[in-house]
Each structure stands twice: as C-alpha cells, then as structure tokens.
Amino acid sequence: ERYIMLSSIFALQPDKWHIDGLDQILDYTIAKYFADNYLVNQSGLKYTILQPTNLTEEEGTDKISLDVTGVTSNPIPDVAKTLAEILKHDNTIGKVIMMNSDDTPIDAASASVK
C-alpha cells in the first residue's frame, strides 16, 4: 500500500545535474530520474521519494534539513532513520523530499512536510 524510495538529490531536476558532485554520478542520477518518474507518474502507488545529498560513513546526528539548495552530505544512519520516520507520517505521501544534514530533529522535519 505504501512505497518509500531512496533516490538522489535533484534526480528529477536535470538542469542541476551539472553541479559539482552530481556531475560525477551522472549515470546513477539518470537511472534515479527514470525510476522516480515511473513511481510518480505510472505506478499508482502511495509513494514517498527521499532524495538525500551525498551519503557519508559518519555517525548520525539525528538532525536534518528539508530545505536543500546544494550538494552537501548526510550520514548514512540519518538517511536510514529518515526513511523509517517517513512511514509514520501520512503527510509525506505523494511527496519528493530532499534532505541534508542540519539542525532539525528527524521526527520534527518529517512531521513538517507539506
């Protein structure tokens, strides 16, 4: 009934694929573009797509931002916790959510999605 997909930052915005950091993973971003588009436009599923910035192997902070303007980083544990938290919030259904590390607790950020 519910589908949560991990994607990549700006995957649905080809005009941003030239940004430093994204230009190095262009094939991956293109694949995510098609997967995200299918989920949004053809699947018929209750979806949420999470588009984090670069994943890093660091300790999680349990704090994020959903106001992403560039390519920064996300500790992998924070991305995993955000994916799990999304399931608790119906307000995230039908949304594409971009995230990066910052200072808002993950549960509060997830609850604030409009």
Side-chain angles (χ1 to χ4, degrees), residues 15-27:
D15 58 312
K16 296 191 179 193
W17 294 354
H18 69 282
I19 295 173
D20 190 36
L22 288 182
D23 57 351
Q24 299 168 7
I25 58 167
L26 187 57
D27 290 343

Side-chain angles (χ1 to χ4, degrees), residues 39-56:
L39 184 57
V40 170
N41 299 310
Q42 296 174 311
S43 73
L45 296 172
K46 292 180 182 178
Y47 69 87
T48 304
I49 299 173
L50 183 65
Q51 295 183 337
T53 58
N54 293 335
L55 304 181
T56 59

